Amino acid sequence: MANFFRDNQDLRFYFDKGLPWAEIASLSEHGFRAEDGLKDVEEAKSFYRDVAESFGELSANVIAPRAARLDTEHSRIVDGNAVEAPALREISDAMRAAELHRLCIPRELGGLNAPLIVYMMGGELLARGDVSIMTHFSFHGGMALAALAFSVREGSTTFDPATGRIEKTRFSSMMEEIARGDAWGCMDITEPNADSDMAQLRTKAEQDPDGTWRISGQKIFITSGHGKWHFVIARTEEAKDPNDPFAGLAGLSMFLVKAYDDLPNGEKKRYVTLDRFEEKLGHHGSVTAALSFDRVPAEIIGKRGDGFRYMLILMNNARVGVAFESIGLGEAAYRAAKEYAEVRRSMGKPIARHEMIADMLDEMELDLVALRALAVRSAYHEESAQKLGIFSTAADAPPEEKARVAKELLRHQRLSRRYTPLLKYLATEKSVEIARRAVQIHGGSGYTRDYPVEKLLRDALVLPIYEGTSQIQSLMAMKDTLMGVIAKPQLFVKRMADARVRSLSSRDPLDRALARVNLNALSATQFLMRKTAEGKLKSLARKPMTSWPKAFAKDWDPKRDFAFAMLHAERFTRILAEEAIAEILVAQAKEHPERRIWAEKWLERAEVRGRGLLDEITSTGERLLRKLAEDERGGDLAIAAEE
Ligand SMILES: Cc1cc2nc3c(=O)[nH]c(=O)nc-3n(C[C@H](O)[C@H](O)[C@H](O)COP(=O)(O)OP(=O)(O)OC[C@H]3O[C@@H](n4cnc5c(N)ncnc54)[C@H](O)[C@@H]3O)c2cc1C
């Protein structure tokens, strides 16, 4: 029987030896202290592998054969309620029967307690069958875990310090319902006039005299918005300073809304109105809903005004999840392209042996291995950060152990924060590129519905858009990197000097190549810092010199001061992402010599790409920035004339 896990050697590497399973399993199983938990690492590994096998089998035999039907049969709204497309229904039933929705939910809440990373890698396998199925799937267990994370953060979850098990948590009945496969959740942020710019969100939450919160407004583009449990971001306070573009973020709060009640006669009593399901280019197995709220009762989560912070908790996981979706889709596209290229002949040989096609296939395969390495690492750090965060509040441990955990927690948080935007950016952009190349390799046939690749390209196009667009990821990566240099300039200088030395004197050519990739990234950082500092000096020219030290030491406004860096943020992010992958693959090669080939191949391509991107950053941009500044001055003058 076909199995997408068994036929994927690279993914199997991570289950065999590419991840610190003892550490991951111990963290999930609370040090194997619980009586009803797994006994030891070996039992845990065998369970995780079984899970991956089930994902692989289900995706290959239930999802992939229905992918074409998912593309043409669409879910609809009938009499105000959702009627799911038949193929989607069949797949959902199979997933419920396989108990996949309870996978990551803690055992004490009816789940199987598997680590998030197993779920994420399973997600890749589902996405290879059909990416929109993975998207919908993630709004089941993923939302239950979000509820748990929210509850831990607001302090409404308690743990047994001896076993680490949850004693009580606020959203337990919702989590149990999701674990059974009877409901799912969704995340309602986007509105007709606001998403990337969340400060503009207008949906309102008001409190009745009896304390009940009620939500009114419209949300659009809500994935799986026909579900029961909605996390809704709504405004509880107006922005204090109308001139500050970020002030509106402080007035947002997070709410839980039940969209409907299930009545004993099988009908639903609805509180949230399903306005429409969006008609999209692809991604048809995933419902995307527009919703109306008219004084719908809601429960506030955390404190008033903390909504943006709560949303960020959810976003990191979700972004890593989208990267695994992208890799799964890319895997399907690469395999379809390879298979076609080996059979299709042109000018006396299979097209796979024509140099340009061979080069494309080589790069597609390499990109998938590289992205998976970054994705697996990001998921590992994100999960470790989350779980250690929960544990450090729960564990009744001696001070030295607490200090060790705190240090580890910081390390995982730092790496997760570094990797997540880079991963979301590169994985989603590459999935589009890989799908497009798969169409190209199929020639005219690729443009027809006779082959699966045109659907893959349509499905891929949304990946760089949702869960924070590529541009928003780039801004985050760029600002974090530059602010890091501003905070610790000595460390940056040391890293630069160190990379120079390694590029010349390391004995292993792999290390020298990695140092050159590091130098590309550091040189780009240095150049952007220099341009940023020049801009800052210009902006200070008319201000008293006494204000300069503070302006340089503390007073940095990324929006105002980083114009040049913003223009190049995508190029810079690509360099940073490729550097991160290079570091991970080289570390893998040191530990597992059979992986050296991937590190070598990646460095060969990443080094020259980095040089090209660095060249673009250092040679272009000024002309456009001058034009933007002139346009802005023109706009200001026009406004002044009107006033
Ligand atoms: C299929 C699908 C499913 C979705 N699911 C959900 C969901 O479950 N929940 C939810 O709340 N939302 C969801 N969304 C919405 C999605 O998150 C937003 O569409 C996305 O974040 C972009 O926001 P926007 O559409 O408002 O575009 P805009 O914010 O208007 O952006 C338009 C373009 O401008 C760019 N841009 C914006 N600001 C900047 C800047 N400062 N610098 C440079 N470029 C910038 C963007 O990158 C983009 O290219 C979904 C969307 C789709 C298509």
Side-chain angles (χ1 to χ4, degrees):
M1 193 187 271
N3 188 311
F4 286 172
F5 174 66
R6 279 200 211 140
D7 72 6
N8 190 329
Q9 200 188 358
D10 190 53
L11 195 55
R12 286 205 322 271
F13 160 76
Y14 292 99
F15 278 83
D16 291 341
K17 49 186 169 176
L19 273 166
W21 286 112
E23 181 192 327
I24 293 169
S26 175
L27 202 50
S28 288
E29 291 295 324
H30 316 300
F32 300 101
R33 279 174 291 163
E35 273 178 18
D36 61 349
L38 301 174
K39 276 198 313 292
D40 53 27
V41 182
E42 284 318 307
E43 192 181 11
K45 277 176 75 175
S46 146
F47 168 53
Y48 303 157
R49 185 173 262 276
D50 287 349
V51 169
E53 296 254 352
S54 325
F55 270 111
E57 193 180 310
L58 186 113
S59 189
N61 301 295
V62 178
I63 301 176
R66 287 172 176 77
R69 274 176 61 207
L70 284 170
D71 197 34
T72 50
E73 294 172 359
H74 298 180
S75 300
R76 294 167 297 131
I77 301 173
V78 178
D79 297 333
N81 283 308
V83 177
E84 287 189 336
L88 176 58
R89 208 44 285 141
E90 290 159 21
I91 293 169
S92 296
D93 289 347
M95 289 174 91
R96 189 185 304 126
E99 305 204 67
L100 292 183
H101 297 313
R102 63 176 76 239
L103 190 64
C104 282
I105 296 176
R107 209 169 273 116
E108 50 275 33
L109 296 170
L112 298 173
N113 209 44
L116 196 67
I117 194 155
V118 173
Y119 165 93
M120 293 282 183
M121 290 197 271
E124 178 197 322
L125 293 166
L126 297 186
R128 187 172 143 196
D130 182 279
V131 69
S132 61
I133 287 296
M134 167 51 194
T135 306
H136 184 40
F137 172 70
S138 66
F139 282 85
H140 291 73
M143 286 295 124
L145 290 182
L148 180 60
F150 291 162
S151 170
V152 169
R153 173 152 189 154
E154 67 171 13
S156 58
T157 297
T158 56
F159 298 90
D160 173 355
T163 60
R165 286 168 62 94
I166 295 166
E167 290 172 329
K168 187 167 72 57
T169 186
R170 176 176 166 190
F171 305 111
S172 55
S173 58
M174 164 194 171
M175 291 179 73
E176 280 158 5
E177 202 177 352
I178 291 178
R180 289 194 304 273
D182 293 341
W184 63 86
C186 54
M187 181 72 226
D188 306 4
I189 305 170
T190 306
E191 297 176 10
N193 289 316
D195 186 68
S196 301
D197 191 359
M198 282 183 59
Q200 301 306 317
L201 292 176
R202 285 287 155 263
T203 290
K204 258 196 171 158
E206 291 165 314
Q207 215 169 6
D208 285 349
D210 69 358
T212 311
W213 283 98
R214 293 191 179 272
I215 294 193
S216 302
Q218 272 187 314
K219 295 285 178 182
I220 58 167
F221 297 159
I222 306 306
T223 300
S224 306
H226 55 319
K228 186 170 188 179
W229 299 104
H230 293 233
F231 290 114
V232 182
I233 295 274
R235 182 161 296 289
T236 44
E237 269 78 31
E238 286 307 325
K240 288 207 177 73
D241 176 1
N243 295 320
D244 177 354
F246 296 114
L249 290 178
L252 300 174
S253 303
M254 175 71 85
F255 292 89
L256 179 66
V257 170
K258 186 162 56 159
Y260 58 82
D261 267 314
D262 293 293
L263 300 177
N265 64 2
E267 291 182 359
K268 288 183 167 58
K269 180 177 175 199
R270 292 204 72 89
Y271 309 109
V272 176
T273 307
L274 292 176
D275 292 334
R276 64 174 187 279
F277 291 165
E278 306 294 352
E279 290 190 22
K280 299 168 297 188
L281 190 60
H283 220 68
H284 292 305
S286 159
V287 165
T288 312
L291 310 166
S292 292
F293 297 73
D294 183 9
R295 292 187 44 75
V296 178
E299 287 180 42
I300 194 162
I301 299 176
K303 290 206 290 284
R304 279 173 87 132
D306 267 356
F308 185 64
R309 276 190 211 103
Y310 275 81
M311 190 211 69
L312 293 180
I313 299 178
L314 195 143
M315 279 278 174
N316 258 9
N317 266 356
R319 286 174 179 163
V320 176
V322 173
F324 278 97
E325 286 179 6
S326 307
I327 296 167
L329 184 146
E331 188 74 41
Y334 163 66
R335 284 173 187 255
K338 186 163 183 281
E339 198 176 302
Y340 185 84
E342 277 164 2
V343 179
R344 176 77 178 172
R345 295 178 74 83
S346 145
M347 299 176 199
K349 57 183 178 183
I351 58 169
R353 280 202 241 130
H354 286 291
E355 291 75 3
M356 279 181 278
I357 305 291
D359 187 44
M360 277 193 223
L361 288 169
D362 179 76
E363 194 172 13
M364 287 155 88
E365 183 187 26
L366 174 63
D367 281 346
L368 289 167
V369 169
L371 290 168
R372 194 173 287 116
L374 181 59
V376 165
R377 225 52 218 167
S378 301
Y380 159 67
H381 290 301
E382 177 60 19
E383 172 163 30
S384 303
Q386 280 176 20
K387 290 198 167 149
L388 286 177
I390 294 172
F391 263 137
S392 53
T393 58
D396 191 12
E400 21 344 321
E401 177 59 9
K402 281 197 169 152
R404 190 193 65 78
V405 170
K407 203 167 154 204
E408 269 297 276
L409 172 64
L410 269 181
R411 186 178 76 86
H412 287 301
Q413 280 172 337
R414 187 174 49 75
L415 286 166
S416 172
R417 189 178 169 131
R418 175 183 167 203
Y419 289 156
T420 306
L422 304 182
L423 171 69
K424 165 72 171 66
Y425 176 83
L426 199 65
T428 60
E429 291 290 331
K430 283 280 182 190
S431 74
V432 176
E433 185 186 305
I434 291 171
R436 201 194 85 79
R437 283 179 153 182
V439 171
Q440 189 69 16
I441 288 171
H442 279 71
S445 302
Y447 199 60
T448 70
R449 287 189 177 238
D450 295 345
Y451 287 84
V453 285
E454 60 82 31
K455 170 184 178 290
L456 293 176
L457 179 56
R458 284 187 286 111
D459 285 351
L461 283 169
V462 77
L463 300 171
I465 294 175
Y466 64 27
E467 295 300 351
T469 64
S470 289
Q471 289 67 42
I472 298 299
Q473 303 309 305
S474 302
L475 290 181
M476 282 168 52
M478 178 275 289
K479 285 177 198 166
D480 249 22
T481 308
L482 297 198
M483 293 304 271
V485 177
I486 290 168
K488 291 185 181 163
Q490 307 86 334
L491 185 64
F492 177 77
V493 174
K494 186 177 169 307
R495 283 184 62 206
M496 192 95 181
D498 175 59
R500 280 213 180 92
V501 173
R502 282 188 292 118
S503 71
L504 298 170
S505 60
S506 288
R507 289 178 62 181
D508 187 340
L510 212 56
D511 290 330
R512 290 201 297 279
L514 175 60
R516 291 194 296 274
V517 168
N518 290 140
L519 277 176
N520 281 336
L522 292 164
S523 304
T525 310
Q526 190 182 40
F527 187 80
L528 292 179
M529 278 311 303
R530 195 153 59 75
K531 298 298 282 184
T532 304
E534 276 172 25
K536 184 87 178 162
L537 267 179
K538 267 191 214 148
S539 77
L540 292 177
R542 266 179 266 135
K543 298 203 171 147
M545 276 178 74
T546 47
S547 70
W548 290 12
K550 179 169 172 281
F552 264 98
K554 289 197 190 126
D555 188 12
W556 285 90
D557 175 351
K559 207 166 161 49
R560 192 188 54 216
D561 296 324
F562 290 178
F564 188 86
M566 285 200 268
L567 187 139
H568 285 297
E570 274 201 72
R571 292 181 189 97
F572 186 46
T573 301
R574 208 170 262 267
I575 295 185
L576 296 175
E578 299 211 352
E579 178 197 32
I581 290 172
E583 287 171 0
I584 293 167
L585 288 179
V586 169
Q588 261 181 21
K590 304 268 165 185
E591 209 179 328
H592 309 285
E594 75 275 19
R595 302 285 292 178
R596 190 177 172 96
I597 183 69
W598 294 116
E600 284 171 354
K601 283 189 190 181
W602 182 255
L603 288 166
E604 179 193 59
R605 289 189 185 265
E607 187 189 342
V608 287
R609 274 198 300 249
R611 276 209 301 268
L613 288 163
L614 177 61
D615 211 6
E616 271 187 274
I617 291 175
T618 52
S619 333
T620 66
E622 292 289 5
R623 176 189 54 76
L624 184 57
L625 281 179
R626 272 198 306 276
K627 179 173 182 313
L628 285 175
E630 275 163 26
D631 289 352
E632 197 130 313
R633 270 199 299 278
D636 288 348
L637 287 175
I639 291 168
E642 270 174 33
E643 285 169 355

